[in-house]
Amino acid sequence: PARNFDTRTTEPISFFLSSLEELLAWQPDGNDDFNISAVPLAERQPPLRSKRPRTLVCHDMRGGYLEDRFIQGSATRNPYVFYHWRYIDIFVYFSHHTVTIPPVCWTNAAHRNGVPVLGTFITEWTDGEKLCEAFLAGGEEAYRAVGEQLARIAQHYRFDGWLVNMENTLSAAAVGNLPPFLRHLTARVHSAVPGGLVIWYDSVLQNGTLRWQNELNEENRVFFDACDGLFTNYNWKEEHLERTRGLAGTRHTDVYVGIDVFARGDVIGGGFDTDKSLRLIRKHGLSAAIFAPGWVYEHLGEENFLRNENKFWGLLAEYLPTHSICTLPLATSFSLGMGTRRFLAGKEEEAGPWYDLSAQEIQPLYPELEGRLSTSCCLEDAWCGGSSLRVQGTIPPGEERVAVRLFSLQMPAPPKLYLTLLYKLEGPHPDEVSVALELATWDSGTCLEGNATSLPEPNGRHHPRFLPAPPPGLAKLLAACDGGSHGWTSRCFELDLRDCSLRDLSLLVSRHQPSPQETPFTCLLGELRV
């Protein structure tokens, strides 16, 4: 069927539904199996339901279903990728098709990094009016059938819920049934999808008029009360935020204040000034919805995309609470799910561009310190996949070493930890520095390293011991200890902890000789396992 397979290449593709009839007729089908996400939503801390302000990203690019529709990947040069997962809470895939089912590669990449994914149910213009009239103006049976189907679709393809966006006028009968429809859809999604979500876009008022409010108020509150959250329109000022905060009460983090990165209309910020909008939203303790951050790719061009993307998210980092990994084992080769060639064990296996977000690995934090440190993707060399992580910086004068925080952790430490690292030192003086790992634990009187007689580490920073060869029983798991090839160095470490709670995992870059000068370094990370 053309819906499931590309007519030109016969490859399996992700698809959308274009009408109410298609939605109501949808049934699971063997041709669909490629579209089912294979990656369960990873746990992370704090969980989504915690009361800290959240960040939603709404991805809307050129109508959607571009190269990302090819489920088994494509040979795309300079594709769009997203990898700042540690900084966001929810990912919405947006298009103007009636029922936007997120391409499965996005769900796989997001889930691997602990981020839930929402599809979009949209109605607009006069066709949208007719569609809403057909299922909302009738009776309970008609709107319940739509809610049921949307919940079944999310459950079947294993994504996490819906953004509902009605951008057309509603008749009195239709708008009267809208809150019960939203309540029914929300209840069905919650029972069909663990942790599922339904978010309403600020468009229609309770009397059925289409008029964007740019805030939560008495005109749209009835819809907010019927689901998990409100995504506001973009043309707000600070007084809208104040009123919203007052009205939302304890649900203030369920209001996602819209920021259009393309800065269309009368908005604060956008582009590289998006931090201005975000600062105000956070000042009032509200969540944020960043719309079309693909601006970086579409507006500034594909050539310098990765550099510009790091700049864009780096400018926002101050206002984006990050997330911690809370389960072990942790293993990643840092691959973005794209490349200009493919590597295996440090060796180039295949030349030529490729793009497959399902193959994206767990992504780290991307710390940036103006002039002192940058973390970025290196496409020229990798241990496995398409890229490695390039950590570039300087050790300041008089200091022995610098710690680069790669992951935030939040979990009890097991009594014994093994860590493996594959890396490559580059730059003019690679022999002046050495590389190791550092684990930080939360301050607590009970946490001890090593045996019962050891003293607690000052400030909870632990430096795992170098392990020249793996213990006999672990030779297979730690096969990389003495390995490394094609210029990559492989190191294993071990650490014994008692009654500790893990907090951070950092790369430690040290210099051999103290120096009054600064020491620059460039280190590629090919793989990390804990």
Short mmCIF file of all heavy atoms in Angstrom, two decimals, residues 141-166:
data_model
loop_
_atom_site.label_atom_id
_atom_site.label_comp_id
_atom_site.label_asym_id
_atom_site.label_seq_id
_atom_site.Cartn_x
_atom_site.Cartn_y
_atom_site.Cartn_z
N GLU A 141 -21.57 9.65 21.24
CA GLU A 141 -21.05 8.48 20.53
C GLU A 141 -20.01 8.88 19.48
O GLU A 141 -18.96 8.24 19.36
CB GLU A 141 -22.22 7.76 19.85
CG GLU A 141 -21.92 6.30 19.55
CD GLU A 141 -23.13 5.61 18.91
OE1 GLU A 141 -24.28 5.93 19.30
OE2 GLU A 141 -22.89 4.79 18.01
N ALA A 142 -20.29 9.96 18.75
CA ALA A 142 -19.39 10.38 17.66
C ALA A 142 -18.06 10.85 18.22
O ALA A 142 -16.99 10.45 17.74
CB ALA A 142 -20.06 11.48 16.84
N TYR A 143 -18.07 11.72 19.24
CA TYR A 143 -16.78 12.22 19.73
C TYR A 143 -16.01 11.16 20.52
O TYR A 143 -14.79 11.14 20.52
CB TYR A 143 -16.92 13.56 20.47
CG TYR A 143 -17.56 13.54 21.85
CD1 TYR A 143 -16.92 12.94 22.94
CD2 TYR A 143 -18.78 14.18 22.08
CE1 TYR A 143 -17.49 12.96 24.20
CE2 TYR A 143 -19.35 14.21 23.33
CZ TYR A 143 -18.71 13.59 24.41
OH TYR A 143 -19.27 13.61 25.65
N ARG A 144 -16.76 10.24 21.16
CA ARG A 144 -16.05 9.17 21.88
C ARG A 144 -15.33 8.24 20.91
O ARG A 144 -14.25 7.72 21.22
CB ARG A 144 -17.01 8.39 22.77
CG ARG A 144 -17.49 9.20 23.98
CD ARG A 144 -18.48 8.40 24.82
NE ARG A 144 -17.79 7.51 25.74
CZ ARG A 144 -17.56 7.79 27.03
NH1 ARG A 144 -17.95 8.95 27.52
NH2 ARG A 144 -16.93 6.94 27.80
N ALA A 145 -15.91 8.04 19.74
CA ALA A 145 -15.26 7.18 18.73
C ALA A 145 -13.94 7.79 18.29
O ALA A 145 -12.93 7.08 18.11
CB ALA A 145 -16.19 6.99 17.53
N VAL A 146 -13.90 9.12 18.13
CA VAL A 146 -12.66 9.80 17.74
C VAL A 146 -11.62 9.70 18.85
O VAL A 146 -10.45 9.36 18.62
CB VAL A 146 -12.95 11.28 17.38
CG1 VAL A 146 -11.65 12.06 17.24
CG2 VAL A 146 -13.76 11.35 16.09
N GLY A 147 -12.04 9.95 20.10
CA GLY A 147 -11.12 9.84 21.24
C GLY A 147 -10.53 8.44 21.36
O GLY A 147 -9.33 8.25 21.58
N GLU A 148 -11.41 7.46 21.16
CA GLU A 148 -11.01 6.06 21.24
C GLU A 148 -9.94 5.75 20.19
O GLU A 148 -8.91 5.13 20.49
CB GLU A 148 -12.27 5.20 20.99
CG GLU A 148 -12.16 3.77 21.44
CD GLU A 148 -11.93 3.63 22.93
OE1 GLU A 148 -12.66 4.22 23.74
OE2 GLU A 148 -10.96 2.93 23.27
N GLN A 149 -10.17 6.17 18.95
CA GLN A 149 -9.23 5.90 17.86
C GLN A 149 -7.89 6.58 18.10
O GLN A 149 -6.82 5.98 17.88
CB GLN A 149 -9.81 6.35 16.51
CG GLN A 149 -10.88 5.42 15.95
CD GLN A 149 -10.33 4.06 15.55
OE1 GLN A 149 -10.08 3.20 16.40
NE2 GLN A 149 -10.11 3.84 14.26
N LEU A 150 -7.91 7.84 18.54
CA LEU A 150 -6.64 8.55 18.79
C LEU A 150 -5.84 7.84 19.88
O LEU A 150 -4.61 7.67 19.77
CB LEU A 150 -6.91 10.01 19.18
CG LEU A 150 -7.42 10.91 18.04
CD1 LEU A 150 -7.87 12.27 18.58
CD2 LEU A 150 -6.36 11.11 16.95
N ALA A 151 -6.52 7.38 20.93
CA ALA A 151 -5.81 6.66 22.01
C ALA A 151 -5.26 5.33 21.49
O ALA A 151 -4.13 4.94 21.82
CB ALA A 151 -6.75 6.43 23.19
N ARG A 152 -6.05 4.63 20.65
CA ARG A 152 -5.59 3.34 20.10
C ARG A 152 -4.36 3.53 19.21
O ARG A 152 -3.44 2.70 19.21
CB ARG A 152 -6.71 2.68 19.28
CG ARG A 152 -7.83 2.06 20.10
CD ARG A 152 -8.88 1.46 19.18
NE ARG A 152 -8.38 0.28 18.47
CZ ARG A 152 -8.80 -0.11 17.28
NH1 ARG A 152 -9.73 0.58 16.63
NH2 ARG A 152 -8.31 -1.19 16.70
N ILE A 153 -4.36 4.61 18.43
CA ILE A 153 -3.23 4.86 17.52
C ILE A 153 -1.95 5.11 18.33
O ILE A 153 -0.89 4.55 18.03
CB ILE A 153 -3.56 6.04 16.58
CG1 ILE A 153 -4.58 5.58 15.53
CG2 ILE A 153 -2.31 6.59 15.90
CD1 ILE A 153 -5.16 6.71 14.68
N ALA A 154 -2.05 5.95 19.38
CA ALA A 154 -0.87 6.22 20.21
C ALA A 154 -0.37 4.93 20.87
O ALA A 154 0.82 4.65 20.91
CB ALA A 154 -1.20 7.26 21.28
N GLN A 155 -1.32 4.13 21.35
CA GLN A 155 -0.95 2.87 22.00
C GLN A 155 -0.29 1.91 21.01
O GLN A 155 0.73 1.29 21.31
CB GLN A 155 -2.21 2.22 22.60
CG GLN A 155 -1.93 0.91 23.32
CD GLN A 155 -3.22 0.30 23.86
OE1 GLN A 155 -4.26 0.28 23.18
NE2 GLN A 155 -3.18 -0.17 25.10
N HIS A 156 -0.86 1.81 19.81
CA HIS A 156 -0.36 0.85 18.82
C HIS A 156 1.05 1.21 18.35
O HIS A 156 1.93 0.34 18.27
CB HIS A 156 -1.31 0.78 17.62
CG HIS A 156 -0.86 -0.20 16.57
ND1 HIS A 156 -0.89 -1.56 16.75
CD2 HIS A 156 -0.33 0.00 15.32
CE1 HIS A 156 -0.42 -2.16 15.67
NE2 HIS A 156 -0.07 -1.24 14.78
N TYR A 157 1.27 2.49 18.03
CA TYR A 157 2.59 2.89 17.51
C TYR A 157 3.57 3.26 18.63
O TYR A 157 4.71 3.60 18.37
CB TYR A 157 2.44 4.06 16.52
CG TYR A 157 1.62 3.67 15.30
CD1 TYR A 157 0.41 4.30 15.03
CD2 TYR A 157 2.04 2.67 14.44
CE1 TYR A 157 -0.36 3.94 13.93
CE2 TYR A 157 1.29 2.29 13.34
CZ TYR A 157 0.09 2.93 13.09
OH TYR A 157 -0.66 2.55 12.00
N ARG A 158 3.08 3.21 19.87
CA ARG A 158 3.92 3.41 21.06
C ARG A 158 4.54 4.80 21.14
O ARG A 158 5.72 4.95 21.48
CB ARG A 158 5.00 2.32 21.16
CG ARG A 158 4.36 0.95 21.28
CD ARG A 158 5.37 -0.17 21.52
NE ARG A 158 4.72 -1.47 21.38
CZ ARG A 158 5.34 -2.61 21.17
NH1 ARG A 158 6.65 -2.63 21.09
NH2 ARG A 158 4.68 -3.74 21.07
N PHE A 159 3.74 5.83 20.82
CA PHE A 159 4.13 7.19 21.21
C PHE A 159 3.23 7.61 22.35
O PHE A 159 2.47 6.80 22.88
CB PHE A 159 4.16 8.14 20.00
CG PHE A 159 2.85 8.34 19.29
CD1 PHE A 159 2.04 9.43 19.58
CD2 PHE A 159 2.44 7.46 18.30
CE1 PHE A 159 0.83 9.63 18.91
CE2 PHE A 159 1.23 7.65 17.61
CZ PHE A 159 0.42 8.74 17.93
N ASP A 160 3.30 8.87 22.80
CA ASP A 160 2.85 9.17 24.16
C ASP A 160 1.64 10.10 24.30
O ASP A 160 1.32 10.51 25.41
CB ASP A 160 4.04 9.73 24.94
CG ASP A 160 5.24 8.78 24.85
OD1 ASP A 160 5.21 7.75 25.52
OD2 ASP A 160 6.16 9.04 24.05
N GLY A 161 0.97 10.44 23.19
CA GLY A 161 -0.22 11.27 23.34
C GLY A 161 -0.36 12.28 22.22
O GLY A 161 0.24 12.12 21.14
N TRP A 162 -1.14 13.36 22.49
CA TRP A 162 -1.55 14.27 21.42
C TRP A 162 -1.53 15.73 21.82
O TRP A 162 -1.90 16.09 22.94
CB TRP A 162 -2.98 13.93 20.99
CG TRP A 162 -3.11 12.57 20.40
CD1 TRP A 162 -3.52 11.43 21.05
CD2 TRP A 162 -2.80 12.17 19.06
NE1 TRP A 162 -3.49 10.36 20.18
CE2 TRP A 162 -3.06 10.79 18.96
CE3 TRP A 162 -2.35 12.86 17.93
CZ2 TRP A 162 -2.85 10.07 17.77
CZ3 TRP A 162 -2.16 12.15 16.75
CH2 TRP A 162 -2.41 10.77 16.68
N LEU A 163 -1.13 16.56 20.86
CA LEU A 163 -1.42 18.00 20.90
C LEU A 163 -2.69 18.17 20.08
O LEU A 163 -2.75 17.72 18.93
CB LEU A 163 -0.27 18.79 20.27
CG LEU A 163 -0.55 20.29 20.05
CD1 LEU A 163 -0.62 21.03 21.38
CD2 LEU A 163 0.53 20.92 19.16
N VAL A 164 -3.71 18.82 20.65
CA VAL A 164 -4.98 19.03 19.94
C VAL A 164 -5.07 20.51 19.57
O VAL A 164 -4.99 21.39 20.44
CB VAL A 164 -6.18 18.61 20.83
CG1 VAL A 164 -7.49 18.83 20.08
CG2 VAL A 164 -6.05 17.14 21.24
N ASN A 165 -5.23 20.77 18.27
CA ASN A 165 -5.15 22.14 17.75
C ASN A 165 -6.34 22.40 16.82
O ASN A 165 -6.33 21.96 15.68
CB ASN A 165 -3.81 22.27 17.01
CG ASN A 165 -3.55 23.67 16.52
OD1 ASN A 165 -4.32 24.58 16.78
ND2 ASN A 165 -2.47 23.85 15.79
N MET A 166 -7.35 23.11 17.34
CA MET A 166 -8.54 23.40 16.51
C MET A 166 -8.52 24.86 16.09
O MET A 166 -8.87 25.74 16.86
CB MET A 166 -9.80 23.05 17.28
CG MET A 166 -9.90 21.57 17.52
SD MET A 166 -11.47 21.04 18.18
CE MET A 166 -11.22 19.26 18.16
#
